[in-house]
Amino acid sequence: MARTRRPLIAGNWKMNGLKADGLALAKDVAAGVKQAGWFDREVLVCPPATLVMAVAEAAKGSGLLVGGEDCHAKASGAHTGDVSAEMLRDAGASHVIVGHSERRTDHGETDATVRAKAEAAWRAGLLPIVCIGETLAEREADRTLTVLETQLKGSVPAGATAAKLVVAYEPVWAIGTGKTPTTPEVAAAHAHIRKVLGGLMGDAAAVRLLYGGSVKGGNAAELLAAGDVDGALIGGASLKADEFLAIAKAA
Ligand code: 13P
């Protein structure tokens, strides 16, 4: 079967990066992407909001894509400290991560909040990367697939299509811990996600599903080869240009 889903390798810098080191990192990644000249995969970095504009400038002409880490559901207004999808787009972003487990935990974001943010991304012309994932307690209680299903049904807006949606499966217990699910566990989660999305959207065969959680240069090839995995969402390892590019190369 011809592969119709172009892998997406996405870096989530989280709350890391001052101007000097963030720009140096962006320039190194952009140079690597430009040199590689990949047409068969996409590479994205999502820096903190303060750096989106500068990183987008640095990425210009390289093929490296730039996204936000979160957005507010509204386009503008009295929401001190928040950043709208429109602002990210204006700063040069093409993508935005929504519903990361750190947002769900630190800011009490619910599936409904995440869904509204994904809709905001569409409104602004951004591609949302909707994050879902189970906690360790949920996995140990054998509830992983049920939890993923509930999160998908609550977080993915009506009207989603493969061109308008990316889903990232990030087990909460695998984020920043050095632990990962086994390849069959990743494949089982992704197959279930695609099945649930199929029920929601009609046809989910072309939706890209990313795996995230302790992806490194050393384990990327194996995780990316798991069934139904169409890329990765990378935290810690995206802060080192060489390692991030090695993961992109493995895709
Ligand atoms: P780590 O790659 O540091 O485990 O983080 C994963 C993540 O949360 C990406 O969004």
Side-chain angles (χ1 to χ4, degrees), residues 43-121:
V43 185
L44 167 75
V45 289
C46 300
T50 48
L51 291 181
V52 168
M53 197 182 289
V55 168
E57 264 317 300
K60 236 176 220 163
S62 69
L64 174 66
L65 303 165
V66 181
E69 296 180 8
D70 172 54
C71 66
H72 194 277
K74 297 265 169 60
S76 62
H79 303 286
T80 303
D82 279 309
V83 173
S84 72
E86 280 76 0
M87 289 167 173
L88 290 171
R89 168 90 192 210
D90 188 49
S94 53
H95 295 59
V96 63
I97 299 167
V98 294
H100 191 281
S101 70
E102 287 149 17
R103 299 288 317 173
R104 291 178 186 259
T105 304
D106 295 356
H107 300 273
E109 293 189 6
T110 63
D111 288 335
T113 321
V114 177
R115 181 190 181 108
K117 291 182 175 202
E119 284 171 341

Side-chain angles (χ1 to χ4, degrees), residues 12 14 100 102 170 174-177 212-216 233-237:
N12 172 10
K14 309 192 178 184
H100 191 281
E102 287 149 17
E170 299 205 306
I175 294 175
T177 59
S214 295
V215 178
K216 312 273 177 227
L233 183 55
I234 301 129

Side-chain angles (χ1 to χ4, degrees), residues 151-239:
Q151 289 180 331
L152 281 172
K153 287 180 174 165
S155 307
V156 174
T161 63
K164 287 166 71 181
L165 178 73
V166 175
V167 172
Y169 168 53
E170 299 205 306
V172 178
W173 53 272
I175 294 175
T177 59
K179 294 181 190 149
T180 62
T182 63
T183 332
E185 284 168 344
V186 172
H190 280 230
H192 190 67
I193 290 167
R194 197 174 299 287
K195 187 174 137 215
V196 173
L197 284 175
L200 292 174
M201 302 165 50
D203 182 7
V207 179
R208 286 177 296 176
L209 309 182
L210 314 184
Y211 168 77
S214 295
V215 178
K216 312 273 177 227
N219 63 12
E222 191 185 343
L223 288 163
L224 286 163
D228 278 301
V229 174
D230 310 306
L233 183 55
I234 301 129
S238 74
L239 298 173

